[in-house]
Amino acid sequence: MSMDKADTATIIDGNKIAAEIRVEAKQEVDELLKQGIEPCLAVVLVGNNPASRAYVGSKVRACEETGVRSVKIELELEATEQELLDEVEQLNQDPDVHGILVQLPLPHHMDEERVIEHIDPAKDVDGFHPENVGKLSIGIDCLTPCTPSGIPELITRSGIHMSGKHAVVIGRSNIVGKPMMNILVQKGDRANCTVTCCHSGTDHLANYTRQADILIAAIGVPEFLTADMVKEGATVIDVGINRVEDLEHSRGYRLVGDVDFDDVKDVAGAITPVPGGVGPMTVAMLMKNTAKAARMIHKLS
Ligand code: NAD
């Protein structure tokens, strides 16, 4: 008798889980409103990058849906770094603003690190300020980056146990890979993993990825991860968002992840699609972070 091919993977529904999280965020916002606190997120956009503009638009829409007040500040591409720092300072000082997000990437004449460090860590809803990065790494409750924070939610809300599992992260960026490692290694049911981080300097990458129970790809290379790199039954989380030319689409491109979905889905136990996996979670977690920042600033539990 020939061996049957493994069943195809469970598709993790990021849209559905993100909708659940937005409902929870709205409940948290309602609780704050009852106490006379209107959570407010300020989003700062520099220049006219279409992708950044689209991200900012989806963040503002999520605010409307969850009852968070949003303030959008737009600076010309030619604005100086000092002008941006001055805007951030005003938001830092404004007691009615609880979250500040400077949309990245910034134009080349601005120093992203300096701008991030200027944001009040208490309002740093992106979780990129060195104070929050440090707190996360030593396990102190803080504001944590939205994209990696959504990933344990996707996994555990799909009924997959994380504690004790071997998680392999591909990518070491400050936005995804490194905070992902720091989240996965913490104690608690939504983490407690043994963590390996691979990156562009890793030799024999597949030797590590094939050992992963949970495999997280944050590489930025379209369809990089193939079935031969994945252990049978692994949970595969695809963070990648890449545009590849596709003249059959009206926009002239389609979005693909860092995982070759059609190849890997026959080996993985569970997998996130692109779009509709990690992407929608990022904005949902931003709403949670804004409510959390408002609670922390007002010293509510
Ligand atoms: P980045 O370019 O800053 O980092 C990519 C990482 O991949 C690097 O650390 C590098 O070491 C590693 N890498 C590159 N080539 C490799 C190779 N051949 N082998 C092993 N490792 C390799 O990117 P990023 O900001 O971390 O984003 C990663 C991807 O996630 C991108 O596609 C980005 O668009 C996407 N992203 C999605 C969301 C979301 O909301 N879903 C948020 C942020 C980033």
Side-chain angles (χ1 to χ4, degrees):
M1 194 175 69
S2 64
M3 284 276 285
D4 281 343
K5 207 171 176 191
D7 287 339
T8 178
T10 301
I11 311 296
I12 296 177
D13 188 343
N15 286 322
K16 176 169 157 275
I17 296 170
E20 284 170 23
I21 301 227
R22 287 201 305 272
V23 167
E24 291 169 17
K26 183 165 183 354
Q27 287 162 354
E28 292 175 26
V29 170
D30 288 345
E31 278 306 311
L32 285 158
L33 289 170
K34 274 187 212 153
Q35 305 194 48
I37 300 159
E38 184 183 28
C40 173
L41 173 67
V43 184
V44 186
L45 176 65
V46 184
N48 213 357
N49 177 315
S52 293
R53 191 161 283 282
Y55 287 135
V56 167
S58 68
K59 287 165 188 176
V60 169
R61 280 195 299 282
C63 285
E64 284 161 10
E65 193 189 315
T66 44
V68 169
R69 185 165 75 87
S70 67
V71 176
K72 192 160 106 183
I73 291 161
E74 298 195 42
L75 296 182
E76 301 279 320
L77 181 63
E78 298 74 27
T80 64
E81 184 180 302
Q82 190 56 50
E83 284 171 315
L84 174 57
L85 293 176
D86 291 345
E87 286 291 348
V88 170
E89 186 55 32
Q90 272 194 35
L91 297 168
N92 284 344
Q93 298 303 330
D94 186 339
D96 294 331
V97 170
H98 304 98
I100 303 171
L101 184 151
V102 177
Q103 185 65 44
L104 303 179
L106 290 172
H108 294 305
H109 64 280
M110 294 182 176
D111 180 335
E112 286 187 356
E113 288 304 320
R114 207 159 33 224
V115 173
I116 290 167
E117 283 182 30
H118 204 77
I119 297 172
D120 179 349
K123 300 186 179 185
D124 168 39
V125 282
D126 255 342
F128 296 156
H129 190 286
E131 185 174 313
N132 285 317
V133 174
K135 282 183 171 171
L136 170 61
S137 75
I138 57 173
I140 295 177
D141 189 29
C142 63
L143 297 168
T144 55
C146 299
T147 300
S149 298
I151 289 172
E153 301 290 341
L154 278 175
I155 297 172
T156 55
R157 289 174 194 240
S158 301
I160 299 163
H161 194 62
M162 294 183 70
S163 180
K165 299 285 173 63
H166 182 200
V168 175
V169 181
I170 318 175
R172 57 178 160 186
S173 72
N174 291 339
I175 293 175
V176 189
K178 284 200 198 109
M180 189 73 256
M181 286 192 306
N182 278 330
I183 289 168
L184 291 167
V185 83
Q186 299 299 326
K187 290 182 178 170
D189 287 344
R190 291 178 185 205
N192 213 25
C193 294
T194 302
V195 183
T196 300
C197 180
C198 301
H199 44 74
S200 53
T202 300
D203 285 337
H204 312 298
L205 178 66
N207 286 353
Y208 301 98
T209 60
R210 276 198 291 263
Q211 292 178 42
D213 303 309
I214 296 169
L215 182 53
I216 299 171
I219 312 163
V221 179
E223 299 178 326
F224 177 90
L225 193 87
T226 46
D228 56 314
M229 301 169 80
V230 179
K231 179 166 84 174
E232 189 155 342
T235 298
V236 177
I237 305 293
D238 189 353
V239 183
I241 303 178
N242 308 291
R243 285 181 179 194
V244 295
E245 190 182 285
D246 186 343
L247 298 176
E248 285 180 17
H249 275 248
S250 53
R251 330 176 263 210
Y253 68 87
R254 67 194 157 89
L255 292 181
V256 300
D258 291 345
V259 175
D260 183 339
F261 182 87
D262 288 334
D263 195 28
V264 172
K265 74 178 189 331
D266 293 334
V267 178
I271 186 167
T272 58
V274 177
V278 173
M281 294 295 289
T282 299
V283 178
M285 297 308 290
L286 176 65
M287 297 301 106
K288 281 250 179 181
N289 268 1
T290 305
K292 181 174 182 175
R295 282 197 302 276
M296 287 168 96
I297 287 168
H298 289 277
K299 306 209 174 341
L300 302 169
S301 60

